[in-house]
Amino acid sequence: MKISLQSHTLSRSELEAGLSLSRAFFSEAQTGLEVEGADCEMGIIHLDIHYPDTPWQIEGNFKGFSCETKLRSAQSSVVLNEDQIKFILSHPYAGKEDKRKFLLKRGLFSLLVQVTGHTPPWGILTGIRPSKILHRLKKAGYSSEERAASLREVYAIRENKSQLLQEVVDIQQPFLEAMKNHPQDVAVYIGIPFCPTRCSYCSFPAYSLQQSREPLEHYLQGLGEEIRAAGAWMKARGLTADSLYLGGGTPTVLTIPEMEGLIALMMTYIPHREAREFTVEAGRPDTLSQEKLSALRASGVDRLSINPQTMHNRTLQRIGRAHTVEDILKVYKLARGIPDWIINMDLIIGLPGEGITDIRETLAKIKVLEPDNLTVHALAIKRGSQEHERGSTQNLGKELEGMQEAVMAAARSMGMQPYYLYRQKHIAGNLENIGFAKPGLECRYNIGIMEEQQTVIGLGAGASSKIVNPKDFSLVSFHHPANWQVYLNRWRETQRKREEAEKFLAKHLRPLY
């Protein structure tokens, strides 16, 4: 289906604010601003906003056309009058869009709920960090009742998501206060964009090592140069890493000597706190052994992520994972036998062929293992993934929400609480990804990067850097090229940009450090 968004009163740039919201209702539709004629299998949305001119009003209508009949098959309309608009605008608003764009989303939301019979759980929110809204409202001094009313009446967020958001923000608060009070502390991310095989849902920059390890060897040499340069810059500026995160890809594709060499390089050149947090993504059980796990722990790693995604062998085979459920259980037992580190496990709901019974069975098996953290993603099928090329579709139905409810119940039964969440484009069910943790075992890196209240130095292909000023939390972002060969030629350019951004913020928004 094609969806066209049109208006007599809104500019093209204003209309663009409504496109992403339209996708929350029509996840597989092609959405745009203009259309020639009335093609079959098409929905035309017309929306007019009368604001700030009085009388204030939002008028919208939807006309659907069917391929089978070549005739109009659906028609709906909606009107929000001045009293309704005033009621919405009377509540605290913390968004960065102007009121016309905001009212466009409110009118579009009301219309499409009527058209589709579906109410997206996150209301009109389309950004990946919904918790930022609540943090802004809280910082502005609004009471918990006023914040709840804003989420409900302004953003049209469902009550259960509003409560989830407020719980997450309360748990994050002491971490964010510490980041604010220690702006010289930063997070350092190091990316290893290589995997033993490529998962069918993956759209991240990750290269398979099935043919040769030579690219990885070249990559590690260049990465080492960047670590030395970035570490020298951090030392000169008085920056200290309070969290280190080795991600990917799959960092544990490195051999033990390669891993020990990389970590030794990090510890030598990157200034870090003695009590820093050090996470390694060990996502693939087929890349782990007793010897490698022991080497990681001996090198100072205190957080490990073992990511089964599902506990069903048929699904693991379907999505291209080169391991079995039995491999997961074996490796987890080995990891748990090593003391004094926190173990996270990742799961995905909405995987091809899986329903609510499957996720409940997976959760039951995870509960027996008693991990310290659990991160649950709703599948997002993106361009660049094999699932997208296969034409796999997302599900907006109730079953996904049932899966999410099963996840929440299981996590709480494990003694965990939600401590960070984020959303993605094309996410299944228009839901969210949630990180759970037992109290006191939350991951500081995850909170800092999601709430964008701590500077992140990203090293390696595909890594992102965010230079944050804690005075007003403005930031400048930089991204390394995803292609590892291009990265090796350009990382110095990104390092220069990091240095220039930090100097600019330090000069114009003092005090920074």
Side-chain angles (χ1 to χ4, degrees), residues 197-208 319 379-392 425-426 482:
T197 60
R198 188 173 180 85
C199 298
S200 65
Y201 54 77
C202 182
S203 62
F204 289 104
Y207 301 87
S208 172
I319 63 178
L379 179 67
I381 298 177
K382 299 181 180 180
R383 291 179 181 177
S385 69
Q386 294 175 20
E387 294 297 339
H388 184 271
E389 293 172 0
R390 292 171 179 169
S392 299
K425 290 182 178 180
H426 312 296

Side-chain angles (χ1 to χ4, degrees), residues 449-491:
I449 194 169
M450 283 304 152
E451 300 311 321
E452 297 184 325
Q453 295 195 23
Q454 183 181 43
T455 288
V456 178
I457 309 300
L459 312 178
S464 299
S465 293
K466 298 179 182 182
I467 311 300
V468 177
N469 190 292
K471 185 176 181 180
D472 62 356
F473 298 111
S474 59
L475 62 86
V476 182
S477 298
F478 302 102
H479 308 276
H480 272 315
N483 182 288
W484 68 268
Q485 293 165 307
V486 177
Y487 155 77
L488 292 180
N489 292 325
R490 294 186 183 175
W491 68 261

